[in-house]
Every structure is written in structure tokens, then in C-alpha cells.
Amino acid sequence: MASTSKKTTSSPSCCDSSATTPPLSIRRDAATTSSLVRQDWTDPVPSPERRPVVDSLPKPSRTASGTKTAIPVMLRAQTSHPLDPLSAAEISVAVATVRAAGATPELRDSMRFIEVVLLEPDKHVVALADAYFFPPFQPSLLPRTKGGPIIPMKLPPRRARLVVYNKRSNETSIWIVELSEVHAATRGGHHRGKVISSQVVPDVQPPMDAVEYAECEAVVKAFPPFREAMKKRGIEDMELVMVDAWCVGYHSDADAPSRRLAKPLIFCRTESECPMENGYARPVEGIHVLVDMQNMKVVEFEDHKLVPLPLADPLRNYTPGETRGGVDRSDVKPLQIIQLEGPSFRVSGHYIEWQKWNFRIGFTPREGLVIHSVAYVDGSRGRRPVAHRLSFVEMVVPYGDPNEPHYRKNAFDAGEDGLGKNAHSLKKGCDCLGFIKYFDAHFTNFTGGVETIENCVCLHEEDHGILWKHQDWRTGLAEVRRSRRLTVSFICTIANYEYGFFWHFYQDGKIEAEVKLTGILSLGALQPGETRKYGTTIAPGLYAPVHQHFFVARMDMAVDCKSGEAFNQVVEVNVEVEKPGEKNVHNNAFYAKETLLQSELQAMRDCNPQTARHWIVRNTRTVNRTGQLTGYKLVPGSNCLPLAGPEAKFLRRAAFLNHNLWVTPYTHGEMFPGGEFPNQNPRVGEGLATWVKQNRPLEETDIVLWYVFGITHVPRLEDWPVMPVERIGFMLMPHGFFNCSPAVDVPPSACELEAKDNDAKDNSVAKPLQNGVLAKL
């Protein structure tokens, strides 16, 4: 369910220098400029996949003698990168452009804006921007064309992609809007966008919105039969009632997308004077409600089973002073993390540099945090790409109780709600510690206004224990290096659950993806004396159903591939035991066996801890000092597969859960494993499971990894009233990518302090460490 607790701020003026990256100057000597900008216009046109951005180029001029002149060099760099998320002003322009394109006032008034995002440019456009528009100039990043690189006068205009729901006609449409100089538009008070295309997408329902959820709650609480049903349960104060409007999913033709539907779950607090009371402790069962979200009215209602409300559990609340009999722990001393000299990372707009890593931060309403253009600066080898784009693209939570209403609880939290739109503001000292750089996120709300979530993404450094250590037993001398990692994260709330999404970058070249699950359990009520084997009884009349959480990470890889190159392949590695015989006379031999995944159907793979199975993305043209191909390997963490039967209804929309790994060649538009619109989706296997049927070759191409990982949650008593954080994830680790460990040159830390500093009698004084981190004991 969407969260409505967002901090909304006014949109910054595009004329304000603080709202954009300051202009960057570019210096060239005459010889360099001449060699870079000249283009033989008689050359054949480059192939489309490698064609530079020429739409915005001026036509070459001719002198009086008819000689063609070079394209002039741009005098001023662009002020924003093509991958920067849309600003608040750009979102406003995009919305105004689409609304103005409505043929009638009625059509314009009925427009509801589900999503407005940056239409990300092609990869060669990103390479041009990285190479030329953002110094220092890096000609090695330019796309290679037959006639040499073209330096355009400006980047192509940014474009926005809008998903619009028409509340009057129940139609969903996709619009592409070209954005011109937005600062000039806002200054003049007129939109300066241009509609490039629009199309109605038939037979779909877009994600639900927080405004709809609030309206649904009000409609249900005002429905007389519902009020009468709650009165039977002893509840007359509707302020106590919580209505969570879950999407209906797709279980039969009754759920077809011809209607926009929700089946709410009902909960009830015990006292209206306590806004932080845990209302999820009292689920209301036995009431069936179906809401038409288009017309906002109850279309089905049945009070078919009177299940008493669970009694108010004295351990239900989680606010300070209300837990464990009202006594909070008092023996915890303050812990401070201070970087006296500031952080080691550098930030320019959305561009991040830390240690040898550099990348860009993006954000979308659906995925939340997106990591672009990940690269590692490797000495004389320069900037080495690792991945073009990393994000979490879907999340599915199926429940294992076959009873009403729990069998319908199989939320697609990204595709039906949006991870990014449900993110919230982070608090320093609580959600993040240390020296923090925050990034705000801008979204459109349902009616087209712009909302800003302040401090939505957190960037900071963390101490991560020992990186490596060795002691020579002969001399007693030891070397130890402290590990530090850079963490980028955001946290979202989907109804009762909280999810934290983290990308960690390490000094030894590793990238870790991690999801932290916490919040409150979604519960069910029981009849007196009843037990249920599909869950755990956690209080009288209250139980928590078993369920699973699945996440899908999409990784558009680019291991040692510059723009225009598609030289990656995927190899599966399994450790096998050598057969007894001459090669294994001691029966102790085992080895790593590699298998090239040659096609999409062959690359539908599952984890296997018994063989230490992992997968390597290799560059087919680049070798290390031993002659092996360079690569990055995906190392699974703990994982699972769906425990539902093959005919389970939710699997028709989530066929991608049937395997842990999928591999596809990069194709524009293949972004979401369950298709773009999983809400009430009647089509079986749409998305990833359909795309791979083409069985496209993978031996040397632009590789996209889809890694599905999950956790099976069998609730404990200790998960009530709060569920402590559980962590799952995976690693991307260099495998033959470097000639030796990048950890070799990590500087030693000041790990030895004077004895008096470690004396238990004097442990209150904080001492600075050599790495700039100060810890207070």
C-alpha cells in the first residue's frame, strides 16, 4: 500500500543556480580541436547501433569556395547530465504539456498522473556526455565510428515518459514529451514541452496511488453496511478503523482489468488518542469488500463470518515507554561516528567518486534507487566499466495460507505500488550514521502536482571490519587493513512492512546488493480455541501466516565494455568431485567446471549451494596478465524458490520466480520481469518468461542479468510487535578483472593506541583514527 507520509516542498526555480549543476568550461588547443571536430561528410552513415547523436547537429556550412567547414566546438558544457533524474520543474513542464494536449476540458480534468520519469537516452548518448560535456575530456569513451568521432554542439533534448490514467474512460496511456530549456519556460510561466508520441495501452491497469488509497479508506468507512458490520464487532468509532486497499491481483475473469479494483484488508486500533498505536495487532476478518477504484464506490460487500476482534495485546505497541511493561533499556551509552576531515567521497550533482569507484545516482517512482555507469579507475588501464545500470525492478510477497483473505495476499510491491513513491525521508543518527550526503526525490502526485521527498537517498561511508590480515609466525610481525565501504540506500514502507535497499561498494572491487526487511507482520484473527497450521500464533486470537519475499535485481552489465561494444558472455561455474580412478587415487579431488551459457533458455538457472554454483560475466576481448578473460562473478547469498504449486494463481503473473537467474541480451523496453503493468494482469507469463522464448544467443552480446532472490519467513514470537531486520542479498565480485588484489594498496589504519587509552577506567575519551573516523566508546 502506498505511504502518504511524504514531505512536500515547493519546486525549486530552474533559474536558481543551486537547482542545477554549474556550467563547466572546456579548454582545447587548436590542434586537438581540429582533430576532434572534423568530419568527412562523404563517409557512409554509421550503423544505427553506433550512430552518434546527429539529430541536434547543425548542417556543415560551406565557404565561398564551396569547402566544407568543421562543426564548431560548443562554447559551454551542458548544465545537467542525460541520466540525471527529472527535476521538479521538468516534471511540471511534462505534466502541463500532456494536460494541454487533451482535446476537451473533460479529458484534461480526468487525467491522473501515475508516473513521470526520465526517458533514459541510448548508451552512446551517455558516452558522449561522459566523454565531452563533463571534463576532463575522455576521448576513449566516445563511440567509435568509421569517420571518427563527432562532437555535437549540444546533447539532444531530455525527454520524459508519462503513464497517465484516464479516470473517466478507464484507459491507460503512455506519453513521450520532449523537454526544452525548462528554466526559460518557468520564468515565462508557459510550458515548453513537445508531445513526441502518445498511445493507449489496452487491457491494463497502472499502479495504485496514495490518493486512491486514502479515498478508498474513506469510501469503505462511510459505507452503511460496513459500519453496521463493525458495530457487530463492538466498533462504532470509524476513526479507529484502518483500511489498507490491496490490489486484487488476478485470480479469475472477475479480476479482469476492465475494472480498476481493490480488495481492502481491515484493521482496528483500540484508542483514537494514540496515533502511533499498532493497529495491525487487531485484524478484522470475515468481511469481504470489493471497491471500484475508478468510480470510488463499494461494488461488493459481505459479512460472511463473525470473527471476534483480538483482544488488545499489552505487548502490541512499539513506541518508547510502551514496550515490555513500559521499561526501556537504560544501559546503552552513546555511539558516535565522526569524520573530522570530512568524507572520502566526492559528489558533483548526481555523480559520485569514491576511492577508485565512480557512478551516477538515479531514482524512479517504481524502482527507487538506480545506479548508473558503474566503473573502476584502475591505474594505467584507466576507467574500466563494470555495469551500465543496476536496480531492483520487482518485488513479490506471496502468502502461504489458503484461507480468505490471505490467499490473495501476493503483492507486486514495485509494479502495483512503486518502491520509489513509497520511500520516505531519512533521519540522520537513526537511518544513517556518519557524514551523510542526502539526495531528494521528485515525483508527480495523482493529480499532476509535484511532491518532493527530502533526504530520500542516503550516501555515506561505513567501517566494515577487517579487510585483510596476515601475521608472519616466524617474526611475529603482522599487517592488517581496515575495510571501508561506500553505501547508497533508501527505505520504503509498503503497508505494514519496511524495506531497505542498499548498494555497497568495497575497496577490493566488490559490489554488494542487500535488502533489509523489517516493520510489522501482517496478521490474521482466529476464532476462540482455533489454531492454524499455516502460521504462528503470537497472541490469543492472533496469528502470523507464513509467507515469502522475492526481489528481482536487474543488472545491465558492461564488464570492460566501452560504449558501442557488446563483448560480454556468461559462464556458469560448478564445483564437481573427480571420479575415482587414476586421476583421483586418494578420493579427495574436486575442481571448478565452467559451462558457457549460450542462449536464453539455457541460461534459466537456479542456485545450488552443494556445487558452490555461481556465474561469471566475462569480456571476450580483454585478458589479464595470465591470459584469462576478465570478468565479474555473481555470488548468490541465501535463497529460495516459490513454495506454491505450479498452478498457483499468482505465478501466472510471476513466472519469473521459477528460476533464480535469467540472462537476456539488452533490448530497449525490456525493463520489468512481470511486464510493465502487473496489476490485474490476465496474461500468463508476460515479461521475462515470454522474452526468453526467443532463445536469443548470449555468446558475445550486451548482457543483462536478472537475479531473483528471496526469503521464506516462518514468523516467531520474537517477531512481535516488531520484526527485527532480516538481511538477504548477493555479491558482484571481480574474477580475473584485476591482476592482483585492489586491497594491496589500502593504507594501514592507526590500529594501535596507547595502553592508557584502552584502560577500562578511562574509556570515555574519543580518539581520532588515521582514516579520519572517530569512535566514541
Side-chain angles (χ1 to χ4, degrees):
M1 175 182 166
S3 169
T4 56
S5 57
K6 297 174 181 167
K7 291 189 176 180
T8 304
T9 61
S10 58
S11 302
S13 170
C14 290
C15 301
D16 185 357
S17 61
S18 65
T20 59
T21 306
L24 302 171
S25 61
I26 299 177
R27 297 176 182 268
R28 302 280 188 275
D29 57 52
T32 303
T33 302
S34 175
S35 64
L36 287 174
V37 302
R38 297 194 65 86
Q39 167 73 13
D40 184 357
W41 288 87
T42 63
D43 285 346
V45 177
S47 59
E49 63 272 15
R50 293 195 175 189
R51 185 170 184 170
V53 186
V54 295
D55 293 342
S56 58
L57 294 176
K59 299 296 181 182
S61 58
R62 292 180 180 268
T63 62
S65 61
T67 305
K68 294 177 184 176
T69 61
I71 303 170
V73 176
M74 175 182 171
L75 299 178
R76 178 178 67 86
Q78 297 288 97
T79 57
S80 63
H81 191 274
L83 290 176
D84 286 350
L86 294 180
S87 66
E90 287 177 313
I91 293 173
S92 295
V93 167
V95 169
T97 301
V98 170
R99 183 170 274 140
T104 65
E106 291 77 17
L107 178 60
R108 294 191 288 271
D109 291 343
S110 64
M111 287 181 173
R112 299 295 180 267
F113 294 86
I114 304 296
E115 179 180 282
V116 181
V117 296
L118 173 74
L119 182 64
E120 294 176 15
D122 292 337
K123 296 179 181 181
H124 68 270
V125 175
V126 176
L128 283 170
D130 289 340
Y132 179 72
F133 291 95
F134 296 87
F137 177 63
Q138 301 179 65
S140 64
L141 296 180
L142 287 169
R144 299 170 183 175
T145 61
K146 184 175 181 179
I150 296 176
I151 305 299
M153 295 216 32
K154 62 179 180 179
L155 288 173
R158 281 158 64 86
R159 293 183 173 184
R161 185 178 189 272
L162 299 88
V163 177
V164 180
Y165 174 68
N166 189 302
K167 194 171 176 64
R168 180 182 295 270
S169 64
N170 193 34
E171 289 182 332
T172 300
S173 56
I174 295 176
W175 298 68
I176 305 299
V177 172
E178 187 175 278
L179 303 169
S180 56
E181 292 292 334
V182 173
H183 65 273
T186 55
R187 188 167 58 237
H190 304 288
H191 69 81
R192 287 283 303 279
K194 175 185 176 182
V195 175
I196 301 300
S197 67
S198 65
Q199 72 176 100
V200 173
V201 184
D203 201 29
V204 299
Q205 284 294 336
M208 295 288 188
D209 185 85
V211 172
E212 292 181 286
Y213 286 126
E215 292 178 354
C216 176
E217 181 174 63
V219 165
V220 171
K221 288 162 70 169
F223 190 59
F226 176 77
R227 300 175 72 94
E228 187 63 29
M230 293 304 298
K231 189 174 182 180
K232 292 179 183 177
R233 291 160 174 80
I235 303 298
E236 297 191 38
D237 184 0
M238 287 295 110
E239 291 297 319
L240 300 176
V241 178
M242 298 163 44
V243 180
D244 284 4
W246 283 52
C247 297
V248 299
Y250 188 88
H251 293 79
S252 68
D253 291 344
D255 302 327
S258 56
R259 296 186 298 170
R260 187 166 175 82
L261 302 173
K263 268 195 174 176
L265 297 179
I266 315 298
F267 304 89
C268 189
R269 294 187 171 96
T270 60
E271 49 183 307
S272 58
E273 299 299 322
C274 184
M276 285 296 289
E277 182 188 358
N278 180 11
Y280 292 108
R282 301 182 78 203
V284 179
E285 293 212 14
I287 295 179
H288 165 86
V289 185
L290 183 68
V291 179
D292 178 344
M293 301 291 281
Q294 176 191 359
N295 301 299
M296 210 50 73
K297 63 180 181 180
V298 176
V299 292
E300 292 181 14
F301 180 85
E302 183 182 359
D303 186 2
H304 56 82
K305 185 179 180 182
L306 182 59
V307 180
L309 281 173
L311 298 175
D313 183 1
L315 300 180
R316 72 189 181 280
N317 285 341
Y318 48 82
T319 50
E322 295 189 48
T323 59
R324 299 290 181 184
V327 178
D328 293 333
R329 300 184 189 188
S330 59
D331 56 350
V332 179
K333 301 289 179 65
L335 175 65
Q336 296 180 353
I337 298 176
I338 303 173
Q339 293 174 270
L340 296 176
E341 299 178 17
S344 301
F345 57 78
R346 290 179 292 179
V347 179
S348 176
H350 290 82
Y351 180 63
I352 312 300
E353 295 177 282
W354 178 79
Q355 296 285 286
K356 297 178 183 294
W357 288 108
N358 57 73
F359 55 89
R360 292 188 176 277
I361 287 179
F363 204 87
T364 73
R366 181 167 183 159
E367 303 158 277
L369 177 63
V370 179
I371 308 294
H372 296 284
S373 304
V374 180
Y376 191 94
V377 180
D378 186 17
S380 61
R381 301 187 69 171
R383 184 180 185 272
R384 302 178 65 188
V386 175
H388 179 72
R389 193 181 193 275
L390 307 173
S391 70
F392 294 96
V393 289
E394 193 51 272
M395 173 182 159
V396 184
V397 188
Y399 278 68
D401 188 338
N403 296 284
E404 178 78 36
H406 308 288
Y407 78 91
R408 283 186 171 270
K409 291 158 69 172
N410 42 72
F412 286 60
D413 287 328
E416 291 179 341
D417 293 286
L419 302 178
K421 291 192 78 169
N422 286 284
H424 42 78
S425 298
L426 302 175
K427 295 181 180 179
K428 189 173 182 179
C430 298
D431 297 304
C432 306
L433 295 176
F435 194 106
I436 310 299
K437 167 60 180 177
Y438 288 111
F439 297 85
D440 297 344
H442 307 292
F443 305 105
T444 179
N445 58 28
F446 202 43
T447 56
V450 179
E451 295 187 358
T452 296
I453 303 178
E454 298 175 344
N455 298 349
C456 186
V457 173
C458 172
L459 173 74
H460 70 288
E461 295 175 286
E462 295 179 343
D463 179 87
H464 195 63
I466 294 176
L467 178 63
W468 68 272
K469 179 174 182 176
H470 178 68
Q471 178 168 308
D472 189 320
W473 65 270
R474 291 177 176 83
T475 64
L477 298 177
E479 280 290 332
V480 62
R481 298 291 188 271
R482 199 78 187 160
S483 177
R484 188 185 296 197
R485 68 184 185 185
L486 183 71
T487 295
V488 196
S489 64
F490 80 103
I491 300 174
C492 65
T493 299
I494 313 289
N496 52 292
Y497 255 101
E498 264 72 23
Y499 299 95
F501 296 89
F502 297 77
W503 291 96
H504 305 292
F505 295 84
Y506 290 84
Q507 293 165 303
D508 60 349
K510 294 196 302 285
I511 303 172
E512 181 183 13
E514 182 183 35
V515 179
K516 298 181 181 179
L517 303 84
T518 182
I520 302 173
L521 294 168
S522 181
L523 306 174
L526 298 173
Q527 296 278 11
E530 180 188 5
T531 60
R532 197 168 288 179
K533 67 178 181 180
Y534 306 107
T536 301
T537 301
I538 60 172
L542 198 61
Y543 86 110
V546 293
H547 56 279
Q548 295 180 291
H549 301 260
F550 290 100
F551 305 88
V552 185
R554 180 184 181 274
M555 293 165 280
D556 184 353
M557 303 299 292
V559 177
D560 267 336
C561 286
K562 296 181 175 64
S563 177
E565 297 179 344
F567 300 147
N568 280 178
Q569 62 180 198
V570 181
V571 173
E572 178 174 285
V573 181
N574 289 279
V575 176
E576 295 191 359
V577 175
E578 185 69 78
K579 295 179 180 179
E582 295 181 1
K583 296 182 179 179
N584 189 18
V585 294
H586 302 292
N587 290 318
N588 71 312
F590 57 92
Y591 61 98
K593 180 180 179 181
E594 296 186 355
T595 303
L596 175 63
L597 302 182
Q598 297 177 309
S599 65
E600 290 178 286
L601 293 180
Q602 185 187 1
M604 296 161 54
R605 309 298 296 164
D606 297 327
C607 296
N608 187 354
Q610 292 182 324
T611 64
R613 179 174 293 169
H614 57 275
W615 301 276
I616 304 174
V617 180
R618 282 188 173 145
N619 186 292
T620 59
R621 308 291 180 91
T622 307
V623 297
N624 53 35
R625 65 173 179 168
T626 65
Q628 299 170 323
L629 299 176
T630 61
Y632 254 77
K633 70 177 181 179
L634 191 163
V635 181
S638 60
N639 210 334
C640 62
L641 289 169
L643 293 172
E647 300 301 319
K649 298 297 185 180
F650 77 90
L651 284 177
R652 68 180 290 141
R653 298 190 294 152
F656 54 87
L657 298 184
N658 287 322
H659 295 286
N660 297 128
L661 180 77
W662 307 71
V663 185
T664 61
Y666 171 80
T667 303
H668 180 74
E670 293 185 359
M671 279 297 300
F672 304 109
E676 182 168 9
F677 301 105
N679 186 17
Q680 298 180 235
N681 185 2
R683 293 167 292 281
V684 178
E686 186 178 52
L688 190 52
T690 298
W691 302 332
V692 299
K693 291 179 181 179
Q694 303 171 72
N695 205 25
R696 293 165 289 189
L698 300 172
E699 294 184 65
E700 187 176 69
T701 186
D702 197 348
I703 292 293
V704 177
L705 296 179
W706 308 75
Y707 183 61
V708 182
F709 59 106
I711 185 173
T712 301
H713 189 186
V714 179
R716 313 165 298 156
L717 284 174
E718 290 78 7
D719 290 333
W720 185 249
V722 298
M723 196 194 86
V725 166
E726 295 191 44
R727 296 173 171 86
I728 56 173
F730 61 92
M731 282 279 191
L732 290 172
M733 302 177 66
H735 188 86
F737 190 78
F738 301 108
N739 287 330
C740 65
S741 173
V744 169
D745 58 359
V746 174
S749 303
C751 52
E752 291 190 14
L753 301 177
E754 296 182 14
K756 67 178 181 179
D757 295 331
N758 294 322
D759 194 326
K761 297 179 181 179
D762 186 20
N763 66 352
S764 61
V765 180
K767 299 292 180 179
L769 302 183
Q770 183 173 321
N771 61 8
V773 178
L774 180 138
K776 185 172 183 179
L777 301 177

